[in-house]
Amino acid sequence: MKPTGVSVNRKALAEALAVAMTGAASRGVKPHLEYVLLHGTESLLLTCSDGEVTVTRVVTDSENEGLEVALPAKRLHQILTKLTGDTVEITDNGGTVAVWTDRAEFTLPRNDEARVAIKDLAMAKRKWGRSWKAQHAERVARDIGRVAWSTDPNSRSPALGGVMIEVTSGSFSAVATNASTLTAAQGTATAEASVAMVLSMRMVTAIQRAYDRPIDLSVYTCDGLVMMTDGTTTISGPTVMGRFPDWRAVVPASGTQRLRWRTNVGALLSAVRQAQICTNEESGGIVWEWDDRGLSLQSQAAEIGQGDITLYLGAYRGTTKPDLPMRVTLDGEFCQQILTAMDKEADVDVVVIDSESAVKFESGEITTIIMPMTKE
């Protein structure tokens, strides 16, 4: 058997592998799917799959002339990150595969069971139909990542463990919710008809890692499956079954607000983190109180202490004068996550109806609602 191989930029190969590995199986679950398939008829392609989510990445500025082997993904990544030199050679010698530069050489066993299994998953023939398209792949990935913290992995409804994507009339929405919060990020996309699908967290993780460039993202569907590609990375897998709640019905209408207060995201996040110091699981969260001075955050926990932080940077908004004082108790951890997902340099509007209704945080294209903590 004549050896086949490729010569490729080491850093480009390592970066491509790091993306492809988001599709690989977890250690010990499906051992033959902990591998990466190196293949392709023109450019070198890297494919990993756990049997459901499959990720294929094109290696930048590469050529492939017949190499098709499966190698242990994590071990190969370790080798590539430890090696020095700009170029790495990978040669299939039949029973083993050599990975080498001018200063070092590693020999890895090839796994034909993994090669066949991953290739079958990567090359499965399906009648994909165009679903929707976005002009900026990195914005889609960013928006999905901004809401993912609101998912509920322990919910009895599988849909609440994923991120819902909704495309209608040129508008893109990524939404996630749990028992206490709902977060929505909105952007632009096009579709011939309204689209709604729920992506698993496995898909979400791969999307966040893969799409970081301002180029078109095309999305296709087929029999409960979804495939996304920006021309460099292709991700496919099943959508999550189950009913996702009508999220727009949950967001408080603008006419019901009694208070709208605006301040800088970074300043508010800093204040929340300070108040969080004096809380624990039994303390009942952080009390947010608005008065003529602005906002104060109060926290107290036995054996920890008491915190009282006043935030003077901010202003009441709207034509209706707020009915002060206004008090509401919110979970400090959730508030930190809400604000962390927003641009620290931007402003955020905090919208309150009363002490028992959902509180809305709005900043740019991202909206989160949080339910107040109940009094025991």
Side-chain angles (χ1 to χ4, degrees):
M1 177 179 175
K2 182 180 179 180
T4 59
V6 294
S7 176
V8 66
N9 180 273
R10 181 181 59 83
K11 289 185 178 179
L13 182 58
E15 290 172 0
L17 180 56
V19 173
M21 284 172 59
T22 58
S26 301
R27 185 174 181 179
V29 178
K30 299 175 183 177
H32 67 289
L33 294 182
E34 296 174 19
Y35 284 69
V36 56
L37 175 66
L38 289 75
H39 62 123
T41 56
E42 295 180 358
S43 298
L44 178 63
L45 307 179
L46 305 182
T47 298
C48 290
S49 179
D50 65 353
E52 293 188 354
V53 175
T54 301
V55 181
T56 297
R57 177 82 168 199
V58 179
V59 181
T60 306
D61 298 327
S62 66
E63 295 182 0
N64 185 24
E65 298 182 357
L67 181 68
E68 183 177 294
V69 295
L71 300 176
K74 289 185 177 179
R75 181 62 52 83
L76 178 59
H77 190 260
Q78 288 175 334
I79 291 172
L80 293 173
T81 54
K82 298 298 183 183
L83 285 174
T84 58
D86 294 334
T87 302
V88 63
E89 308 280 346
I90 301 179
T91 305
D92 180 9
N93 296 312
T96 60
V97 178
V99 181
W100 53 282
T101 65
D102 58 347
R103 296 184 179 181
E105 180 173 347
F106 294 84
T107 301
L108 298 177
R110 54 178 292 165
N111 187 315
D112 285 335
E113 180 188 5
R115 178 182 61 81
V116 172
I118 299 173
K119 185 177 181 179
D120 286 346
L121 291 165
M123 307 301 290
K125 300 294 184 182
R126 305 187 191 282
K127 294 182 179 180
W128 295 105
R130 173 68 64 84
S131 180
W132 55 276
K133 183 176 182 179
Q135 290 185 336
H136 296 280
E138 92 288 2
R139 292 184 184 176
V140 172
R142 178 200 63 188
D143 290 341
I144 290 175
R146 281 179 164 181
V147 308
W149 70 269
S150 273
T151 58
D152 187 354
N154 299 317
S155 173
R156 293 182 179 179
S157 172
L160 298 188
V163 173
M164 195 271 285
I165 303 298
E166 184 180 83
V167 181
T168 178
S169 302
S171 175
F172 164 87
S173 300
V175 188
T177 187
N178 54 50
S180 300
T181 67
L182 181 148
T183 303
Q186 296 181 296
T188 58
T190 57
E192 294 183 1
S194 296
V195 175
M197 61 179 66
V198 180
L199 304 179
S200 68
M201 285 306 298
R202 291 278 291 119
M203 287 280 289
V204 168
T205 300
I207 290 167
Q208 287 182 268
R209 188 64 184 265
Y211 301 130
D212 57 1
R213 297 185 297 164
I215 57 178
D216 288 355
L217 179 69
S218 297
V219 182
Y220 305 83
T221 56
C222 174
D223 299 330
L225 301 174
V226 60
M227 178 178 71
M228 299 183 170
T229 182
D230 67 349
T232 299
T233 306
T234 300
I235 303 171
S236 63
T239 56
V240 179
M241 305 302 292
R243 180 178 175 275
F244 200 90
D246 182 0
W247 65 276
R248 287 186 172 86
V250 180
V251 179
S254 58
T256 61
Q257 68 189 43
R258 286 179 54 194
L259 179 149
R260 177 180 285 269
W261 185 75
R262 180 174 296 174
T263 191
N264 171 262
V265 171
L268 184 55
L269 176 58
S270 176
V272 170
R273 284 173 172 166
Q274 293 174 56
Q276 184 69 7
I277 295 172
C278 292
T279 63
N280 57 24
E281 294 182 359
E282 292 78 31
S283 65
I286 298 173
V287 177
W288 296 51
E289 180 172 344
W290 287 269
D291 58 22
D292 292 333
R293 298 179 303 163
L295 170 66
S296 65
L297 303 178
Q298 303 158 17
S299 59
Q300 183 175 358
E303 299 181 0
I304 295 181
Q306 178 174 329
D308 193 337
I309 294 89
T310 301
L311 193 64
Y312 294 105
L313 296 175
Y316 295 104
R317 312 293 294 182
T319 57
T320 303
K321 184 177 180 180
D323 185 9
L324 302 176
M326 175 75 74
R327 289 170 61 94
V328 62
T329 303
L330 303 177
D331 184 287
E333 289 289 345
F334 281 146
C335 290
Q336 287 191 63
Q337 291 176 310
I338 290 169
L339 296 167
T340 299
M342 297 175 173
D343 181 355
K344 307 303 178 294
E345 303 299 322
D347 286 338
V348 56
D349 281 11
V350 185
V351 182
V352 185
I353 300 173
D354 53 46
S355 62
E356 298 180 354
S357 300
V359 176
K360 180 165 61 174
F361 289 75
E362 294 179 315
S363 182
E365 298 172 341
I366 187 167
T367 299
T368 298
I369 65 168
I370 178 172
M371 294 302 299
M373 298 185 71
T374 57
K375 297 180 180 180
E376 299 295 340

